[in-house]
PDB file of all heavy atoms in Angstrom:
ATOM      1  N   MET V 335     -29.412 -49.115 -29.006  1.00  0.00           N
ATOM      2  CA  MET V 335     -28.532 -48.578 -28.058  1.00  0.00           C
ATOM      3  C   MET V 335     -29.347 -47.670 -27.108  1.00  0.00           C
ATOM      4  O   MET V 335     -29.109 -47.623 -25.950  1.00  0.00           O
ATOM      5  CB  MET V 335     -27.506 -47.757 -28.683  1.00  0.00           C
ATOM      6  CG  MET V 335     -26.351 -48.738 -29.336  1.00  0.00           C
ATOM      7  SD  MET V 335     -25.665 -49.872 -28.316  1.00  0.00           S
ATOM      8  CE  MET V 335     -24.744 -48.792 -27.176  1.00  0.00           C
ATOM      9  N   THR V 336     -30.355 -46.927 -27.670  1.00  0.00           N
ATOM     10  CA  THR V 336     -31.264 -46.093 -26.814  1.00  0.00           C
ATOM     11  C   THR V 336     -31.940 -47.000 -25.829  1.00  0.00           C
ATOM     12  O   THR V 336     -31.949 -46.563 -24.570  1.00  0.00           O
ATOM     13  CB  THR V 336     -32.233 -45.395 -27.784  1.00  0.00           C
ATOM     14  OG1 THR V 336     -31.468 -44.546 -28.704  1.00  0.00           O
ATOM     15  CG2 THR V 336     -33.222 -44.640 -26.910  1.00  0.00           C
ATOM     16  N   GLU V 337     -32.398 -48.190 -26.163  1.00  0.00           N
ATOM     17  CA  GLU V 337     -32.991 -49.058 -25.261  1.00  0.00           C
ATOM     18  C   GLU V 337     -32.110 -49.516 -24.217  1.00  0.00           C
ATOM     19  O   GLU V 337     -32.473 -49.505 -23.023  1.00  0.00           O
ATOM     20  CB  GLU V 337     -33.548 -50.297 -26.198  1.00  0.00           C
ATOM     21  CG  GLU V 337     -34.143 -51.419 -25.292  1.00  0.00           C
ATOM     22  CD  GLU V 337     -34.369 -52.668 -26.182  1.00  0.00           C
ATOM     23  OE1 GLU V 337     -34.906 -52.489 -27.257  1.00  0.00           O
ATOM     24  OE2 GLU V 337     -34.155 -53.814 -25.629  1.00  0.00           O
ATOM     25  N   LEU V 338     -30.811 -49.862 -24.647  1.00  0.00           N
ATOM     26  CA  LEU V 338     -29.802 -50.290 -23.698  1.00  0.00           C
ATOM     27  C   LEU V 338     -29.412 -49.238 -22.651  1.00  0.00           C
ATOM     28  O   LEU V 338     -29.187 -49.442 -21.491  1.00  0.00           O
ATOM     29  CB  LEU V 338     -28.650 -50.838 -24.343  1.00  0.00           C
ATOM     30  CG  LEU V 338     -28.886 -52.147 -25.163  1.00  0.00           C
ATOM     31  CD1 LEU V 338     -27.619 -52.573 -25.958  1.00  0.00           C
ATOM     32  CD2 LEU V 338     -29.302 -53.281 -24.319  1.00  0.00           C
ATOM     33  N   VAL V 339     -29.303 -47.959 -23.136  1.00  0.00           N
ATOM     34  CA  VAL V 339     -29.028 -46.935 -22.269  1.00  0.00           C
ATOM     35  C   VAL V 339     -30.050 -46.713 -21.204  1.00  0.00           C
ATOM     36  O   VAL V 339     -29.818 -46.237 -20.051  1.00  0.00           O
ATOM     37  CB  VAL V 339     -28.774 -45.597 -23.084  1.00  0.00           C
ATOM     38  CG1 VAL V 339     -28.500 -44.295 -22.141  1.00  0.00           C
ATOM     39  CG2 VAL V 339     -27.562 -45.634 -23.953  1.00  0.00           C
ATOM     40  N   GLY V 340     -31.358 -46.920 -21.573  1.00  0.00           N
ATOM     41  CA  GLY V 340     -32.467 -46.636 -20.728  1.00  0.00           C
ATOM     42  C   GLY V 340     -32.608 -47.752 -19.566  1.00  0.00           C
ATOM     43  O   GLY V 340     -33.392 -47.624 -18.669  1.00  0.00           O
ATOM     44  N   LEU V 341     -31.879 -48.912 -19.766  1.00  0.00           N
ATOM     45  CA  LEU V 341     -31.825 -49.943 -18.792  1.00  0.00           C
ATOM     46  C   LEU V 341     -31.020 -49.615 -17.521  1.00  0.00           C
ATOM     47  O   LEU V 341     -30.003 -48.926 -17.722  1.00  0.00           O
ATOM     48  CB  LEU V 341     -31.488 -51.249 -19.425  1.00  0.00           C
ATOM     49  CG  LEU V 341     -32.209 -51.856 -20.546  1.00  0.00           C
ATOM     50  CD1 LEU V 341     -31.587 -53.049 -21.115  1.00  0.00           C
ATOM     51  CD2 LEU V 341     -33.748 -52.033 -20.096  1.00  0.00           C
ATOM     52  N   GLU V 342     -31.338 -50.166 -16.436  1.00  0.00           N
ATOM     53  CA  GLU V 342     -30.415 -50.011 -15.299  1.00  0.00           C
ATOM     54  C   GLU V 342     -29.226 -50.993 -15.288  1.00  0.00           C
ATOM     55  O   GLU V 342     -28.107 -50.714 -14.828  1.00  0.00           O
ATOM     56  CB  GLU V 342     -31.133 -50.125 -13.924  1.00  0.00           C
ATOM     57  CG  GLU V 342     -32.168 -48.938 -13.803  1.00  0.00           C
ATOM     58  CD  GLU V 342     -32.701 -48.879 -12.434  1.00  0.00           C
ATOM     59  OE1 GLU V 342     -32.231 -49.404 -11.556  1.00  0.00           O
ATOM     60  OE2 GLU V 342     -33.662 -48.045 -12.264  1.00  0.00           O
ATOM     61  N   LEU V 343     -29.572 -52.302 -15.792  1.00  0.00           N
ATOM     62  CA  LEU V 343     -28.504 -53.331 -15.811  1.00  0.00           C
ATOM     63  C   LEU V 343     -27.980 -53.570 -17.211  1.00  0.00           C
ATOM     64  O   LEU V 343     -28.479 -54.417 -17.886  1.00  0.00           O
ATOM     65  CB  LEU V 343     -29.142 -54.689 -15.203  1.00  0.00           C
ATOM     66  CG  LEU V 343     -28.051 -55.623 -14.846  1.00  0.00           C
ATOM     67  CD1 LEU V 343     -27.048 -55.177 -13.864  1.00  0.00           C
ATOM     68  CD2 LEU V 343     -28.663 -56.943 -14.251  1.00  0.00           C
ATOM     69  N   SER V 344     -27.163 -52.620 -17.722  1.00  0.00           N
ATOM     70  CA  SER V 344     -26.475 -52.684 -18.958  1.00  0.00           C
ATOM     71  C   SER V 344     -25.243 -51.862 -18.845  1.00  0.00           C
ATOM     72  O   SER V 344     -25.138 -50.802 -18.208  1.00  0.00           O
ATOM     73  CB  SER V 344     -27.538 -51.958 -20.077  1.00  0.00           C
ATOM     74  OG  SER V 344     -26.858 -51.571 -21.183  1.00  0.00           O
ATOM     75  N   GLN V 345     -24.277 -52.362 -19.749  1.00  0.00           N
ATOM     76  CA  GLN V 345     -22.952 -51.670 -19.712  1.00  0.00           C
ATOM     77  C   GLN V 345     -23.137 -50.266 -20.202  1.00  0.00           C
ATOM     78  O   GLN V 345     -22.399 -49.356 -19.811  1.00  0.00           O
ATOM     79  CB  GLN V 345     -21.883 -52.433 -20.551  1.00  0.00           C
ATOM     80  CG  GLN V 345     -22.162 -52.514 -21.979  1.00  0.00           C
ATOM     81  CD  GLN V 345     -21.368 -53.488 -22.668  1.00  0.00           C
ATOM     82  OE1 GLN V 345     -21.756 -54.626 -23.011  1.00  0.00           O
ATOM     83  NE2 GLN V 345     -20.073 -53.157 -22.968  1.00  0.00           N
ATOM     84  N   TYR V 346     -24.220 -50.025 -21.008  1.00  0.00           N
ATOM     85  CA  TYR V 346     -24.370 -48.661 -21.558  1.00  0.00           C
ATOM     86  C   TYR V 346     -25.416 -47.778 -20.791  1.00  0.00           C
ATOM     87  O   TYR V 346     -25.829 -46.783 -21.241  1.00  0.00           O
ATOM     88  CB  TYR V 346     -24.783 -48.775 -22.997  1.00  0.00           C
ATOM     89  CG  TYR V 346     -23.716 -49.474 -23.841  1.00  0.00           C
ATOM     90  CD1 TYR V 346     -24.055 -50.712 -24.359  1.00  0.00           C
ATOM     91  CD2 TYR V 346     -22.651 -48.931 -24.106  1.00  0.00           C
ATOM     92  CE1 TYR V 346     -23.099 -51.515 -25.050  1.00  0.00           C
ATOM     93  CE2 TYR V 346     -21.656 -49.576 -24.869  1.00  0.00           C
ATOM     94  CZ  TYR V 346     -21.869 -50.877 -25.190  1.00  0.00           C
ATOM     95  OH  TYR V 346     -20.967 -51.524 -26.093  1.00  0.00           O
ATOM     96  N   SER V 347     -25.788 -48.334 -19.581  1.00  0.00           N
ATOM     97  CA  SER V 347     -26.803 -47.724 -18.920  1.00  0.00           C
ATOM     98  C   SER V 347     -26.538 -46.182 -18.570  1.00  0.00           C
ATOM     99  O   SER V 347     -25.455 -45.833 -18.326  1.00  0.00           O
ATOM    100  CB  SER V 347     -26.985 -48.355 -17.527  1.00  0.00           C
ATOM    101  OG  SER V 347     -27.958 -47.720 -16.677  1.00  0.00           O
ATOM    102  N   TYR V 348     -27.618 -45.427 -18.531  1.00  0.00           N
ATOM    103  CA  TYR V 348     -27.418 -44.112 -18.124  1.00  0.00           C
ATOM    104  C   TYR V 348     -26.875 -43.991 -16.652  1.00  0.00           C
ATOM    105  O   TYR V 348     -26.189 -43.064 -16.344  1.00  0.00           O
ATOM    106  CB  TYR V 348     -28.842 -43.403 -18.095  1.00  0.00           C
ATOM    107  CG  TYR V 348     -29.917 -43.905 -17.154  1.00  0.00           C
ATOM    108  CD1 TYR V 348     -30.040 -43.272 -15.939  1.00  0.00           C
ATOM    109  CD2 TYR V 348     -30.755 -44.935 -17.428  1.00  0.00           C
ATOM    110  CE1 TYR V 348     -30.965 -43.701 -15.052  1.00  0.00           C
ATOM    111  CE2 TYR V 348     -31.611 -45.562 -16.494  1.00  0.00           C
ATOM    112  CZ  TYR V 348     -31.750 -44.834 -15.169  1.00  0.00           C
ATOM    113  OH  TYR V 348     -32.609 -45.323 -14.403  1.00  0.00           O
ATOM    114  N   LYS V 349     -27.193 -45.030 -15.836  1.00  0.00           N
ATOM    115  CA  LYS V 349     -26.562 -45.074 -14.542  1.00  0.00           C
ATOM    116  C   LYS V 349     -25.030 -45.231 -14.503  1.00  0.00           C
ATOM    117  O   LYS V 349     -24.301 -44.809 -13.555  1.00  0.00           O
ATOM    118  CB  LYS V 349     -27.079 -46.190 -13.768  1.00  0.00           C
ATOM    119  CG  LYS V 349     -28.542 -45.862 -13.357  1.00  0.00           C
ATOM    120  CD  LYS V 349     -29.072 -46.778 -12.290  1.00  0.00           C
ATOM    121  CE  LYS V 349     -30.392 -46.288 -11.800  1.00  0.00           C
ATOM    122  NZ  LYS V 349     -30.303 -46.151 -10.299  1.00  0.00           N
ATOM    123  N   ASN V 350     -24.491 -45.609 -15.603  1.00  0.00           N
ATOM    124  CA  ASN V 350     -23.022 -45.842 -15.800  1.00  0.00           C
ATOM    125  C   ASN V 350     -22.470 -44.620 -16.626  1.00  0.00           C
ATOM    126  O   ASN V 350     -21.207 -44.675 -16.902  1.00  0.00           O
ATOM    127  CB  ASN V 350     -22.710 -47.069 -16.547  1.00  0.00           C
ATOM    128  CG  ASN V 350     -23.008 -48.349 -15.772  1.00  0.00           C
ATOM    129  OD1 ASN V 350     -22.953 -48.319 -14.634  1.00  0.00           O
ATOM    130  ND2 ASN V 350     -23.388 -49.351 -16.455  1.00  0.00           N
ATOM    131  N   THR V 351     -23.285 -43.765 -16.949  1.00  0.00           N
ATOM    132  CA  THR V 351     -22.856 -42.577 -17.879  1.00  0.00           C
ATOM    133  C   THR V 351     -22.690 -41.315 -17.156  1.00  0.00           C
ATOM    134  O   THR V 351     -23.717 -40.731 -16.481  1.00  0.00           O
ATOM    135  CB  THR V 351     -23.824 -42.461 -18.983  1.00  0.00           C
ATOM    136  OG1 THR V 351     -23.918 -43.743 -19.598  1.00  0.00           O
ATOM    137  CG2 THR V 351     -23.390 -41.436 -20.077  1.00  0.00           C
ATOM    138  N   SER V 352     -21.496 -40.640 -17.165  1.00  0.00           N
ATOM    139  CA  SER V 352     -21.359 -39.295 -16.827  1.00  0.00           C
ATOM    140  C   SER V 352     -21.501 -38.435 -18.067  1.00  0.00           C
ATOM    141  O   SER V 352     -20.938 -38.873 -19.143  1.00  0.00           O
ATOM    142  CB  SER V 352     -19.972 -39.161 -16.374  1.00  0.00           C
ATOM    143  OG  SER V 352     -19.781 -39.937 -15.142  1.00  0.00           O
ATOM    144  N   VAL V 353     -22.258 -37.367 -17.967  1.00  0.00           N
ATOM    145  CA  VAL V 353     -22.636 -36.583 -19.126  1.00  0.00           C
ATOM    146  C   VAL V 353     -22.001 -35.193 -18.807  1.00  0.00           C
ATOM    147  O   VAL V 353     -22.214 -34.721 -17.573  1.00  0.00           O
ATOM    148  CB  VAL V 353     -24.105 -36.425 -19.441  1.00  0.00           C
ATOM    149  CG1 VAL V 353     -24.661 -37.787 -19.955  1.00  0.00           C
ATOM    150  CG2 VAL V 353     -24.930 -35.938 -18.233  1.00  0.00           C
ATOM    151  N   ALA V 354     -21.422 -34.600 -19.754  1.00  0.00           N
ATOM    152  CA  ALA V 354     -21.010 -33.194 -19.803  1.00  0.00           C
ATOM    153  C   ALA V 354     -22.197 -32.470 -20.342  1.00  0.00           C
ATOM    154  O   ALA V 354     -22.599 -32.755 -21.463  1.00  0.00           O
ATOM    155  CB  ALA V 354     -19.779 -32.916 -20.559  1.00  0.00           C
ATOM    156  N   VAL V 355     -22.604 -31.393 -19.708  1.00  0.00           N
ATOM    157  CA  VAL V 355     -23.766 -30.728 -20.234  1.00  0.00           C
ATOM    158  C   VAL V 355     -23.485 -29.243 -20.367  1.00  0.00           C
ATOM    159  O   VAL V 355     -22.607 -28.717 -19.558  1.00  0.00           O
ATOM    160  CB  VAL V 355     -25.058 -30.839 -19.329  1.00  0.00           C
ATOM    161  CG1 VAL V 355     -25.603 -32.192 -19.433  1.00  0.00           C
ATOM    162  CG2 VAL V 355     -24.822 -30.465 -17.890  1.00  0.00           C
ATOM    163  N   SER V 356     -24.035 -28.575 -21.282  1.00  0.00           N
ATOM    164  CA  SER V 356     -23.720 -27.052 -21.450  1.00  0.00           C
ATOM    165  C   SER V 356     -24.664 -26.315 -20.511  1.00  0.00           C
ATOM    166  O   SER V 356     -25.385 -26.897 -19.699  1.00  0.00           O
ATOM    167  CB  SER V 356     -24.262 -26.677 -22.889  1.00  0.00           C
ATOM    168  OG  SER V 356     -25.656 -26.874 -23.037  1.00  0.00           O
ATOM    169  N   ASP V 357     -24.453 -24.973 -20.586  1.00  0.00           N
ATOM    170  CA  ASP V 357     -25.140 -24.130 -19.581  1.00  0.00           C
ATOM    171  C   ASP V 357     -26.801 -24.403 -19.734  1.00  0.00           C
ATOM    172  O   ASP V 357     -27.349 -24.082 -18.774  1.00  0.00           O
ATOM    173  CB  ASP V 357     -24.828 -22.686 -19.782  1.00  0.00           C
ATOM    174  CG  ASP V 357     -23.398 -22.359 -19.422  1.00  0.00           C
ATOM    175  OD1 ASP V 357     -22.789 -23.175 -18.710  1.00  0.00           O
ATOM    176  OD2 ASP V 357     -22.832 -21.417 -20.028  1.00  0.00           O
ATOM    177  N   ASN V 358     -27.190 -24.746 -20.943  1.00  0.00           N
ATOM    178  CA  ASN V 358     -28.648 -24.921 -21.085  1.00  0.00           C
ATOM    179  C   ASN V 358     -29.053 -26.373 -20.972  1.00  0.00           C
ATOM    180  O   ASN V 358     -30.048 -26.760 -21.425  1.00  0.00           O
ATOM    181  CB  ASN V 358     -29.129 -24.411 -22.381  1.00  0.00           C
ATOM    182  CG  ASN V 358     -28.512 -25.101 -23.635  1.00  0.00           C
ATOM    183  OD1 ASN V 358     -27.617 -25.845 -23.538  1.00  0.00           O
ATOM    184  ND2 ASN V 358     -29.127 -24.683 -24.822  1.00  0.00           N
ATOM    185  N   ASP V 359     -28.065 -27.176 -20.317  1.00  0.00           N
ATOM    186  CA  ASP V 359     -28.408 -28.604 -19.953  1.00  0.00           C
ATOM    187  C   ASP V 359     -28.428 -29.561 -21.218  1.00  0.00           C
ATOM    188  O   ASP V 359     -28.990 -30.594 -21.105  1.00  0.00           O
ATOM    189  CB  ASP V 359     -29.555 -28.775 -19.068  1.00  0.00           C
ATOM    190  CG  ASP V 359     -29.425 -29.764 -18.015  1.00  0.00           C
ATOM    191  OD1 ASP V 359     -28.215 -30.053 -17.545  1.00  0.00           O
ATOM    192  OD2 ASP V 359     -30.498 -30.511 -17.667  1.00  0.00           O
ATOM    193  N   GLU V 360     -27.788 -29.168 -22.333  1.00  0.00           N
ATOM    194  CA  GLU V 360     -27.727 -29.960 -23.439  1.00  0.00           C
ATOM    195  C   GLU V 360     -26.505 -30.931 -23.321  1.00  0.00           C
ATOM    196  O   GLU V 360     -25.421 -30.547 -22.827  1.00  0.00           O
ATOM    197  CB  GLU V 360     -27.417 -29.154 -24.748  1.00  0.00           C
ATOM    198  CG  GLU V 360     -27.292 -29.853 -25.991  1.00  0.00           C
ATOM    199  CD  GLU V 360     -26.677 -28.981 -27.137  1.00  0.00           C
ATOM    200  OE1 GLU V 360     -26.272 -27.890 -26.918  1.00  0.00           O
ATOM    201  OE2 GLU V 360     -26.630 -29.659 -28.215  1.00  0.00           O
ATOM    202  N   VAL V 361     -26.770 -32.218 -23.540  1.00  0.00           N
ATOM    203  CA  VAL V 361     -25.625 -33.227 -23.441  1.00  0.00           C
ATOM    204  C   VAL V 361     -24.603 -32.909 -24.460  1.00  0.00           C
ATOM    205  O   VAL V 361     -24.865 -32.976 -25.790  1.00  0.00           O
ATOM    206  CB  VAL V 361     -26.188 -34.600 -23.548  1.00  0.00           C
ATOM    207  CG1 VAL V 361     -25.053 -35.614 -23.610  1.00  0.00           C
ATOM    208  CG2 VAL V 361     -27.126 -34.952 -22.492  1.00  0.00           C
TER     209      VAL V 361
END
Side-chain angles (χ1 to χ4, degrees):
M335 290 303 293
T336 299
E337 174 187 319
L338 294 175
V339 171
L341 298 176
E342 291 191 16
L343 193 61
S344 162
Q345 68 194 97
Y346 301 109
S347 174
Y348 67 96
K349 290 196 167 235
N350 295 329
T351 305
S352 299
V353 294
V355 293
S356 65
D357 292 338
N358 63 353
D359 218 33
E360 174 190 11
V361 175

